[in-house]
Amino acid sequence: RDLTPQPVEAEHSASLIRGVAAGIVKDGGKVGGFDCYTTSDVLGGSGLSSSAAFEVCMGAIFRGEYNDNDMKRFDQVKNAMISQYAENVFFGKPCGLMDQMASSVGGLVYIDFADPKNPIVEKVDYDFAHSGYTLCTIDSGADHADLTDEYAAMPVEMKAVAAFFGKEVLHDVDEAAFYRHIAEVRKVTGDRAVLRAIHFFNENRRVKSQVLSLIHISEP
């Protein structure tokens, strides 16, 4: 009944259930009670999107039980955005939308977040198993659970670099201009912000290259 953030629940799964319910109601949907039991092989706090998977699961339950499984109003993209809202506002982690979108849409996908409110999602038709590959995860022993503050610093520092060029986000900054002024940017924003900007530009380029390669390999 109470769909407001509860400080005592911060960083606990109860906050995610409450947050997803609040997000659905905020978007004109209905919610109600249910009994469920969940089990997972994903290690909590391991950086493998365990919270995103949980949020998306809760959204699917509310959609099915109380909203006639309305896939037009609460499609996979909307479910992901509601899940992000739950994690940002109720759980207390200022995450982006990538983990939730990957968990909700599923499979191998290519996502353009230029407009966060209307992300463009495209499925990449590539069969790892058929090509002789196996996607594996390993337990590195690293725990992400206590890194919320460090995680929150990422967008702040990246936006600081963007602000140097009069932009809100790095997506709108010309990469060539960034490298031309990198010395001045370092003085204003610091080394770590500059390194994160370099990572951003490199990753965007690498992802596009990967998608093109996989599409090419998949063609007969």
Side-chain angles (χ1 to χ4, degrees), residues 16-174:
L16 299 178
I17 301 172
R18 192 184 301 273
V20 169
I24 289 176
V25 171
K26 187 168 173 276
D27 275 12
K30 299 177 181 178
V31 296
F34 59 88
D35 294 320
C36 80
Y37 175 86
T38 64
T39 182
S40 173
D41 293 330
V42 179
L43 299 174
S46 62
L48 292 174
S49 306
S50 55
S51 58
F54 184 80
E55 294 150 10
V56 165
C57 178
M58 293 302 107
I61 291 173
F62 281 125
R63 180 180 62 209
E65 292 294 315
Y66 292 99
N67 296 279
D68 300 319
N69 205 32
D70 187 348
M71 291 300 292
K72 290 185 177 179
R73 174 183 283 184
F74 299 111
D75 63 7
Q76 306 296 38
V77 174
K78 175 58 71 172
N79 191 6
M81 295 175 77
I82 289 173
S83 296
Q84 181 198 20
Y85 167 76
E87 187 146 354
N88 289 174
V89 179
F90 286 74
F91 189 82
K93 183 176 181 180
C95 67
L97 188 56
M98 184 173 66
D99 287 8
Q100 286 78 7
M101 195 70 77
S103 295
S104 183
V105 176
L108 191 60
V109 294
Y110 171 62
I111 310 172
D112 187 339
F113 292 107
D115 181 358
K117 293 183 179 179
N118 296 286
I120 299 172
V121 184
E122 297 180 19
K123 287 210 169 190
V124 179
D125 185 17
Y126 181 76
D127 189 335
F128 274 91
H130 181 73
S131 301
Y133 293 104
T134 300
L135 186 62
C136 301
T137 58
I138 62 170
D139 183 1
S140 66
D143 190 339
H144 288 208
D146 297 325
L147 298 178
T148 297
D149 292 341
E150 287 81 354
Y151 195 93
M154 294 181 190
V156 172
E157 293 179 349
M158 292 166 72
K159 287 181 178 179
V161 175
F164 178 91
F165 295 93
K167 306 293 184 180
E168 289 189 14
V169 292
L170 279 175
H171 179 276
D172 298 330
V173 175
D174 179 67

